[in-house]
Amino acid sequence: MNTLSDGESVAAADLTSVLEYWPSPPPWGWISDDLDRLPQEGPNGEPGFFEHVELIDGALVFAAPQTRFHQRVIAGLHVALSTQAPGSVTAAHRMDVKLGHRMRPCPDVLVIDAQAADDDDRTFYTPDEVHLVVEVVSPESEDRDRKTKPFRYAEAGIAHFWRVEDNDGSPVVYVYELDPATGAYGLTGIHHGRLTVPVPFPIDVDLDKLPR
């Protein structure tokens, strides 16, 4: 069980004091619950400063501006998954998954329990509520999306992971499934043009016809 140190208790109680350490993290590092208490403005009054931020191993990671490829693939996969999902699950995008005390990534697209999605006050989901996570790789996120995040998602027991790469403007989807014997992801397919998989539910997406 994770316990809070005295410093972490201060962080939970008073984010203003934590931000005094900016741009370096506080000595005890950031914790997952801090993301729900970050202010709307940055330390110098910058509007929307903390709007797109993840917690990766206790460090705040700020998302770079999205490319059009990144945005349209997220939108297209979100619509396709939402349309094809059975009633027990639904798709969401840009919602956090709390993997642990110091790990709270924000997948580009995810499939979650419909019951969890019904709560409009939620700011994150837990791994047991998540069936699929999708990361669309951008130049600034390559290492996180290819190495750090898949390892952490598998460690948390999330059964399905997709990584989407840009191949000259066309999406290529690398599909992974959790091996319960090893606790690691195994590559089950690389999809060009069309993505057709039977799990976590039957999915058929024409990748060449995603909105442009």
Side-chain angles (χ1 to χ4, degrees):
M1 178 181 296
N2 291 320
T3 59
L4 295 180
S5 67
D6 291 342
E8 290 168 335
S9 298
V10 171
D14 186 4
L15 255 292
T16 301
S17 65
V18 174
L19 290 178
E20 291 176 1
Y21 292 98
W22 189 263
S24 299
W28 52 87
W30 298 94
I31 60 174
S32 293
D33 290 342
D34 285 339
L35 269 63
D36 289 324
R37 290 182 284 265
L38 292 173
Q40 294 296 314
E41 298 181 341
N44 298 310
E46 304 93 334
F49 188 83
F50 294 107
E51 185 174 356
H52 299 295
V53 61
E54 301 177 285
L55 185 69
I56 307 295
D57 292 328
L60 295 183
V61 176
F62 292 81
Q66 286 187 357
T67 63
R68 172 58 179 156
F69 173 85
H70 199 271
Q71 187 272 337
R72 70 179 181 83
V73 170
I74 291 173
L77 289 179
H78 178 249
V79 170
L81 290 170
S82 296
T83 302
Q84 299 178 35
S88 58
V89 297
T90 191
H93 64 93
R94 302 300 299 169
M95 286 291 293
D96 294 356
V97 181
K98 187 176 180 182
L99 300 181
H101 194 52
R102 298 184 184 279
M103 195 74 181
R104 185 168 157 176
C106 183
D108 290 314
V109 184
L110 58 166
V111 171
I112 54 175
D113 289 336
Q115 186 174 1
D118 285 340
D119 184 354
D120 285 341
D121 292 327
R122 295 286 292 272
T123 59
F124 64 85
Y125 300 106
T126 56
D128 60 297
E129 297 170 321
V130 179
H131 302 267
L132 165 69
V133 288
V134 182
E135 296 288 1
V136 182
V137 177
S138 57
E140 61 87 23
S141 70
E142 283 182 355
D143 281 347
R144 295 193 302 276
D145 292 343
R146 293 173 179 173
K147 300 175 183 178
T148 304
K149 287 185 179 181
F151 176 81
R152 295 297 193 181
Y153 291 141
E155 186 179 52
I158 296 173
H160 302 279
F161 170 72
W162 297 354
R163 189 184 82 244
V164 185
E165 301 273 355
D166 182 354
N167 181 24
D168 293 329
S170 297
V172 178
V173 183
Y174 295 74
V175 174
Y176 296 84
E177 187 171 346
L178 188 66
D179 181 345
T182 64
Y185 285 129
L187 181 67
T188 63
I190 303 174
H191 299 260
H192 302 254
R194 194 170 202 93
L195 168 64
T196 303
V197 293
V199 288
F201 52 86
I203 299 167
D204 185 10
V205 182
D206 190 337
L207 299 172
D208 289 335
K209 292 185 178 180
L210 293 180
R212 288 189 175 272

